[in-house]
Structures are given as structure tokens and as C-alpha cells.
Amino acid sequence: MKILIVGSGGREHAIGWSLAKDGRVAKLFFAPGNAGTSALGENLPLTVTDLAGIKAWCERERPALVVVGPEAPLCAGLVDELATLGVPAFGPDKSGARLEASKIFTKDLLLRAGIPTAASERFTDIAEAKAYCAARRYPLVVKADGLAAGKGVIIAQSLADADAALDQIMARKVFGPSGDSVLIEEFLRGQEASIHAVTDGTDYVLLPSSQDHKRIRDNDEGPNTGGMGAYAPAPIVTAPLLAEVEATVIKPVISALRKAGIDYQGVLYAGLMLTPEGPKVLEFNCRFGDPETEVLLPLLETPLLDLLLATVERRLGRLDFQLKNQCALTVVLAAPGYPEKPVTGQVIHGLQGASPMLFHAGTTRQDGKVIVSGGRVLAATGVGHDLYDARRRAYKIAADIRFEGKQYRLDIGKKALDLLERDA
Ligand code: AMP
Ligand code: GLY
């Protein structure tokens, strides 16, 4: 069968790597893909938000399945468009993607379903929002309602920070209409963890727990990024804690979506704060995390294709879903200047003979060479019998890659290893 993967990051390369191993897959296509995906299939000159272009290609080529990686095309309604052609696509339709597209929609859904989350107020009027902030204690969290490329959440340490955030979001509209409404939230303390579930709207399977590393530098210092590394499973998410998340978050959100008349199919990615009072939802994403995908997919025992098809065909309840009893860790190699102003164009050395789990993100082919073309360049993934083993393998792959100004964190997985050592 022919499969189209929409996206161009490490996540989409990892999805392609998983599917390329499957004898049932005749050919993979990527829209638009990167240098890594071009070795697995054909890259198409289509951007992820070119819905008309993707639809026209699907009408012509009739892929058996489309896998939508990033949130933007899901939120714009790509899955709805493909449904009109009868082309099955993995991922929620536009109504389901509101779970990521609107923080206020999600907050309402969580409250209705009694799912634990930070207390909050919402505002459409900047003066009212500022008056509210003036009467609060700090830190306080200011969130633009809509999509903001991961930048719409500001942790305000003071009233001055909160005012500046509100000016940015609501007055200067740096995130466009995403800033028409804001949510002002209580600051939660604890460690963060992510739980990915895949659901067909009724049944679901849980993927291993994971932790991302958002800041650019070691010890969680420096500015936020799209993610500098991840590992799975996260030892902080013990079996009882996972069962609690399943009972208090995953099951109720699936039934709340159904009650809201939403036929949700695809990934439910719950971003959680593990607070002393229990896990609370920080956010939901409507797609696989990046770089979490790079550690989750290598841990699937069940072929990814079976998971994706069972989801779009609404028969997840009958899938014998199995995970590997292994650990995975990924280290993101970023361009110099990332995240503020990534410098691109450098030649990447050391790719020849590199691990197939060196997933590409911001890479492109030029004159027979592979060059840096984005902020997050590669995700070096190791899989092992424990996290130490996975980490050693990932860092070996990371060290063997060379490009000018390469930056990466040396402490990916440290929180987990500290925890394991404490408990040993
Ligand atoms: P979100 O996009 O809502 O997950 O927010 C991005 C990041 O902001 C999260 O991964 C957290 O690190 C942080 N964050 C969001 N909401 C809160 C909160 N209520 N309390 C503390 N940190 C938060
Ligand atoms: N790793 C964070 C995200 O995919 O949103």
C-alpha cells in the first residue's frame, strides 16, 4: 500500500522509519519531508498547510492511508478534507483538533469532565485581564487561547511580566487571532510528564510515559525550545500513577469528547504536571509529540501500521497491542543560534553508515550533500535494555555527527537516572 506522511520533522522521519520496515508498505511519500525521509520514500514539494495541494495529490494517487504529523494541518481541517475523498487519515478532524487549537475549549471540556487541571480565568478584555493580574500572587501563567507555535505560554514571575505578556498577546497580537482570548492560570509545581494515548473515539491504547526537555541548556536553563531530547518510559510515572492518569484523565477525556459530539480519532497527548495532589493536565495536544515520537515508536512491539489502521478503522478494541520491554532516549542536535535565530547551511558530516534511528528534522539535500536547514537538525535515538544503555547508545550516535556550531544537551535523561539511583 501507498502511505503519505504529512510533516518534515524528526517525528515524521520516525513514523516513516517504523512504516518502512513493514512489508505491506509498497511506497512512502512525505509532504514535504527532509533529507532523512528522502532515503525512505519520495518527498513531495507540498507544505503541511497546503491543504488544497495535499488533497489534489491524494485524489490523484489514492493513498491507502495519510498520517498527519503536525497540529497545523489537523487544526486547519486536513482530515475533514480527505474524508470527502474517502481517503483515510490518522488524526482528529477539525472539531477534535480544537483540543490543541483552543486552550479555552480544552479547559471547559476538562472542567465539565471533572479532570484535574490548574484553576484559571479567561479574558477577552485586556483591561480586565490586567486588573485580575494586579490582584494575584506570583508566579502566574498567562496563555494565549490559540496556536502560537509553542510560544503562547508565559510564566509571569511578577505583575510587570504578566502585563508585558498581556500586551504582547492581546494588544500587539504577536500570535495573531490566537491572542483574542487568554487564559490566566494558577502556577503548578512538580515534574512534568507526558502520556500519549491512541484512540479511535471509543477504545484506546497507552504508549509508554515520556519526558521532554524543553530548555536549550543543561539543568533546564535558557530559553524554551521545541524540545531538546526525550526518553521513555519515564520512571517517575510508576504503574499506579499511570493507572491514575488512565482513570482520571484519559478515560474521562475520551468520553467527554464523545459527549461533545466529537468523533475523535488519533493521538491524545496529555501534558501533565505531577503535583503533590496528583497529576494535573497542563495541556492536550492532538498529535504525537516531537521529540517524544522518536522514543515512543522504537518501543512498539505491535507494528505501527496495525495501530494506525485499527485506529482509523475504529477497531482498536480488537487490536492485540504490545510494547517492548525496553527503554529509549533521544538527543536533539540543534543548529547554532537555536532557538532564537538558528544558523543554517552547514554541511553535516558523519551520516554515512549512521544508525537508522538518527532521525532527521532540519536537514535538506543540496549538491549531493546533506545540510542544516532548520533549528532542530537531528534526533539521535538509542534503544536499550535500560535507560543507561539507551542513553549510552544515543550519545554515541550524537557524538559521531559533526556540523559547525552543533549544540546539544549533555543531561538528557538525568532526572530519570537520578530517580533510579535514589531508589536503588
Ligand atoms: P502548555 O503549552 O500549556 O503545555 O505550556 C507549555 C509549558 O508551560 C508546559 O510544558 C509547562 O512547562 C508550562 N506550564 C503551562 N501551564 C503551567 C501551569 N499552570 N503551571 C506551571 N507551568 C505551566
Ligand atoms: N515535545 C512537545 C510537543 O511535541 O509539543
Side-chain angles (χ1 to χ4, degrees), residues 103 118 141 143 150 153 155 185-189 192 214 224 271 273 282-283:
K103 294 190 189 292
V141 186
K143 299 185 171 187
V153 175
I155 314 280
E185 251 184 36
E186 130 196 52
F187 178 77
L188 298 176
R189 284 168 212 279
E192 286 181 52
K214 292 252 163 85
N224 262 319
M273 188 68 89
L282 290 175
E283 62 163 349

mmCIF file of all heavy atoms in Angstrom, residues 103 118 141 143 150 153 155 185-189 192 214 224 271 273 282-283, ligand 1:
data_model
loop_
_atom_site.group_PDB
_atom_site.id
_atom_site.type_symbol
_atom_site.label_atom_id
_atom_site.label_comp_id
_atom_site.label_asym_id
_atom_site.label_seq_id
_atom_site.Cartn_x
_atom_site.Cartn_y
_atom_site.Cartn_z
ATOM 1 N N LYS A 103 -7.086 26.545 24.000
ATOM 2 C CA LYS A 103 -6.875 26.199 25.412
ATOM 3 C C LYS A 103 -8.158 26.410 26.214
ATOM 4 O O LYS A 103 -8.390 25.728 27.205
ATOM 5 C CB LYS A 103 -5.721 27.006 25.985
ATOM 6 C CG LYS A 103 -4.381 26.630 25.347
ATOM 7 C CD LYS A 103 -3.205 27.234 26.055
ATOM 8 C CE LYS A 103 -1.904 27.047 25.302
ATOM 9 N NZ LYS A 103 -1.437 25.664 25.241
ATOM 10 N N ALA A 118 -5.146 22.957 36.295
ATOM 11 C CA ALA A 118 -4.907 24.191 37.039
ATOM 12 C C ALA A 118 -6.159 25.068 37.046
ATOM 13 O O ALA A 118 -6.860 25.163 36.038
ATOM 14 C CB ALA A 118 -3.748 24.951 36.390
ATOM 15 N N VAL A 141 0.456 32.035 35.341
ATOM 16 C CA VAL A 141 0.704 31.582 33.969
ATOM 17 C C VAL A 141 -0.291 32.241 33.019
ATOM 18 O O VAL A 141 -1.499 32.158 33.232
ATOM 19 C CB VAL A 141 0.606 30.045 33.879
ATOM 20 C CG1 VAL A 141 1.018 29.562 32.492
ATOM 21 C CG2 VAL A 141 1.484 29.397 34.948
ATOM 22 N N LYS A 143 -1.689 32.406 29.168
ATOM 23 C CA LYS A 143 -1.717 31.580 27.954
ATOM 24 C C LYS A 143 -2.600 32.193 26.887
ATOM 25 O O LYS A 143 -3.772 32.487 27.146
ATOM 26 C CB LYS A 143 -2.279 30.186 28.280
ATOM 27 C CG LYS A 143 -1.472 29.407 29.302
ATOM 28 C CD LYS A 143 -2.003 27.990 29.489
ATOM 29 C CE LYS A 143 -1.033 27.192 30.361
ATOM 30 N NZ LYS A 143 -1.401 25.768 30.459
ATOM 31 N N GLY A 150 4.053 26.982 20.057
ATOM 32 C CA GLY A 150 4.707 26.613 21.314
ATOM 33 C C GLY A 150 5.189 27.796 22.142
ATOM 34 O O GLY A 150 5.874 27.615 23.138
ATOM 35 N N VAL A 153 2.668 30.412 25.908
ATOM 36 C CA VAL A 153 2.531 30.248 27.358
ATOM 37 C C VAL A 153 3.637 31.024 28.039
ATOM 38 O O VAL A 153 4.816 30.802 27.765
ATOM 39 C CB VAL A 153 2.621 28.753 27.750
ATOM 40 C CG1 VAL A 153 2.607 28.588 29.270
ATOM 41 C CG2 VAL A 153 1.469 27.973 27.125
ATOM 42 N N ILE A 155 5.225 32.189 31.734
ATOM 43 C CA ILE A 155 5.210 32.079 33.192
ATOM 44 C C ILE A 155 5.618 33.454 33.723
ATOM 45 O O ILE A 155 6.774 33.854 33.590
ATOM 46 C CB ILE A 155 6.232 31.013 33.692
ATOM 47 C CG1 ILE A 155 6.143 29.707 32.881
ATOM 48 C CG2 ILE A 155 6.099 30.797 35.209
ATOM 49 C CD1 ILE A 155 5.048 28.767 33.227
ATOM 50 N N GLU A 185 -3.717 31.269 34.506
ATOM 51 C CA GLU A 185 -3.775 30.031 35.279
ATOM 52 C C GLU A 185 -2.915 30.081 36.511
ATOM 53 O O GLU A 185 -1.857 30.716 36.522
ATOM 54 C CB GLU A 185 -3.194 28.897 34.406
ATOM 55 C CG GLU A 185 -4.207 27.934 33.936
ATOM 56 C CD GLU A 185 -3.600 26.776 33.173
ATOM 57 O OE1 GLU A 185 -2.489 26.289 33.510
ATOM 58 O OE2 GLU A 185 -4.248 26.352 32.222
ATOM 59 N N GLU A 186 -3.326 29.343 37.471
ATOM 60 C CA GLU A 186 -2.535 29.108 38.673
ATOM 61 C C GLU A 186 -1.236 28.378 38.257
ATOM 62 O O GLU A 186 -1.253 27.538 37.354
ATOM 63 C CB GLU A 186 -3.388 28.254 39.619
ATOM 64 C CG GLU A 186 -2.732 27.048 40.168
ATOM 65 C CD GLU A 186 -3.672 26.019 40.776
ATOM 66 O OE1 GLU A 186 -4.653 25.586 40.139
ATOM 67 O OE2 GLU A 186 -3.376 25.617 41.897
ATOM 68 N N PHE A 187 -0.118 28.709 38.894
ATOM 69 C CA PHE A 187 1.168 28.068 38.600
ATOM 70 C C PHE A 187 1.247 26.759 39.382
ATOM 71 O O PHE A 187 1.090 26.745 40.603
ATOM 72 C CB PHE A 187 2.307 29.008 39.010
ATOM 73 C CG PHE A 187 3.673 28.433 38.785
ATOM 74 C CD1 PHE A 187 4.223 28.383 37.512
ATOM 75 C CD2 PHE A 187 4.423 27.951 39.850
ATOM 76 C CE1 PHE A 187 5.494 27.862 37.299
ATOM 77 C CE2 PHE A 187 5.698 27.421 39.648
ATOM 78 C CZ PHE A 187 6.225 27.384 38.367
ATOM 79 N N LEU A 188 1.465 25.680 38.668
ATOM 80 C CA LEU A 188 1.550 24.372 39.318
ATOM 81 C C LEU A 188 3.011 23.976 39.482
ATOM 82 O O LEU A 188 3.831 24.244 38.605
ATOM 83 C CB LEU A 188 0.843 23.306 38.472
ATOM 84 C CG LEU A 188 -0.647 23.489 38.236
ATOM 85 C CD1 LEU A 188 -1.174 22.406 37.293
ATOM 86 C CD2 LEU A 188 -1.414 23.452 39.557
ATOM 87 N N ARG A 189 3.314 23.337 40.611
ATOM 88 C CA ARG A 189 4.681 22.885 40.857
ATOM 89 C C ARG A 189 4.761 21.376 40.765
ATOM 90 O O ARG A 189 3.835 20.681 41.151
ATOM 91 C CB ARG A 189 5.122 23.301 42.255
ATOM 92 C CG ARG A 189 5.453 24.763 42.331
ATOM 93 C CD ARG A 189 5.608 25.236 43.772
ATOM 94 N NE ARG A 189 5.186 26.621 43.882
ATOM 95 C CZ ARG A 189 5.951 27.650 43.552
ATOM 96 N NH1 ARG A 189 7.179 27.462 43.127
ATOM 97 N NH2 ARG A 189 5.491 28.875 43.648
ATOM 98 N N GLU A 192 7.148 17.481 35.143
ATOM 99 C CA GLU A 192 6.223 17.265 34.024
ATOM 100 C C GLU A 192 6.442 15.897 33.415
ATOM 101 O O GLU A 192 7.561 15.383 33.402
ATOM 102 C CB GLU A 192 6.465 18.315 32.948
ATOM 103 C CG GLU A 192 5.935 19.675 33.343
ATOM 104 C CD GLU A 192 6.161 20.706 32.257
ATOM 105 O OE1 GLU A 192 5.778 20.449 31.099
ATOM 106 O OE2 GLU A 192 6.726 21.763 32.564
ATOM 107 N N LYS A 214 12.541 20.821 27.536
ATOM 108 C CA LYS A 214 12.146 22.000 26.743
ATOM 109 C C LYS A 214 13.228 23.074 26.634
ATOM 110 O O LYS A 214 13.314 23.763 25.629
ATOM 111 C CB LYS A 214 10.892 22.632 27.364
ATOM 112 C CG LYS A 214 9.637 21.776 27.238
ATOM 113 C CD LYS A 214 8.673 22.362 26.219
ATOM 114 C CE LYS A 214 7.633 21.360 25.767
ATOM 115 N NZ LYS A 214 6.468 21.262 26.637
ATOM 116 N N ASN A 224 13.079 28.422 26.138
ATOM 117 C CA ASN A 224 12.312 27.258 25.710
ATOM 118 C C ASN A 224 12.568 26.932 24.252
ATOM 119 O O ASN A 224 12.795 27.822 23.445
ATOM 120 C CB ASN A 224 10.817 27.537 25.873
ATOM 121 C CG ASN A 224 10.296 26.950 27.155
ATOM 122 O OD1 ASN A 224 10.672 25.832 27.533
ATOM 123 N ND2 ASN A 224 9.443 27.678 27.834
ATOM 124 N N GLY A 271 -0.189 16.518 28.416
ATOM 125 C CA GLY A 271 0.951 17.107 29.117
ATOM 126 C C GLY A 271 0.534 17.287 30.569
ATOM 127 O O GLY A 271 -0.441 17.976 30.845
ATOM 128 N N MET A 273 1.334 17.850 34.862
ATOM 129 C CA MET A 273 2.200 18.238 35.970
ATOM 130 C C MET A 273 1.911 17.255 37.089
ATOM 131 O O MET A 273 0.746 17.079 37.473
ATOM 132 C CB MET A 273 1.888 19.669 36.413
ATOM 133 C CG MET A 273 2.884 20.202 37.438
ATOM 134 S SD MET A 273 4.528 20.450 36.714
ATOM 135 C CE MET A 273 4.394 22.131 36.106
ATOM 136 N N LEU A 282 -1.809 19.966 32.050
ATOM 137 C CA LEU A 282 -1.320 21.278 31.625
ATOM 138 C C LEU A 282 -1.865 21.617 30.253
ATOM 139 O O LEU A 282 -2.161 22.764 29.943
ATOM 140 C CB LEU A 282 0.210 21.275 31.527
ATOM 141 C CG LEU A 282 1.003 21.194 32.817
ATOM 142 C CD1 LEU A 282 2.483 21.072 32.491
ATOM 143 C CD2 LEU A 282 0.744 22.417 33.673
ATOM 144 N N GLU A 283 -1.912 20.606 29.408
ATOM 145 C CA GLU A 283 -2.355 20.843 28.037
ATOM 146 C C GLU A 283 -2.655 19.514 27.387
ATOM 147 O O GLU A 283 -2.217 18.459 27.866
ATOM 148 C CB GLU A 283 -1.253 21.535 27.228
ATOM 149 C CG GLU A 283 -0.001 20.674 27.118
ATOM 150 C CD GLU A 283 0.972 21.077 26.015
ATOM 151 O OE1 GLU A 283 0.625 21.899 25.168
ATOM 152 O OE2 GLU A 283 2.080 20.522 26.008
HETATM 153 P P1 AMP B 1 1.430 24.193 27.598
HETATM 154 O O1 AMP B 1 1.630 24.533 26.149
HETATM 155 O O2 AMP B 1 0.112 24.597 28.160
HETATM 156 O O3 AMP B 1 1.862 22.807 27.979
HETATM 157 O O4 AMP B 1 2.542 25.031 28.339
HETATM 158 C C1 AMP B 1 3.909 24.932 27.987
HETATM 159 C C2 AMP B 1 4.726 24.763 29.216
HETATM 160 O O5 AMP B 1 4.443 25.802 30.150
HETATM 161 C C3 AMP B 1 4.424 23.477 29.965
HETATM 162 O O6 AMP B 1 5.141 22.403 29.445
HETATM 163 C C4 AMP B 1 4.872 23.858 31.361
HETATM 164 O O7 AMP B 1 6.265 23.769 31.486
HETATM 165 C C5 AMP B 1 4.481 25.307 31.465
HETATM 166 N N1 AMP B 1 3.158 25.453 32.089
HETATM 167 C C6 AMP B 1 1.963 25.540 31.449
HETATM 168 N N2 AMP B 1 0.958 25.680 32.323
HETATM 169 C C7 AMP B 1 1.505 25.719 33.549
HETATM 170 C C8 AMP B 1 0.991 25.841 34.881
HETATM 171 N N3 AMP B 1 -0.327 26.013 35.106
HETATM 172 N N4 AMP B 1 1.848 25.805 35.889
HETATM 173 C C9 AMP B 1 3.183 25.650 35.686
HETATM 174 N N5 AMP B 1 3.736 25.543 34.471
HETATM 175 C C10 AMP B 1 2.919 25.563 33.401
#
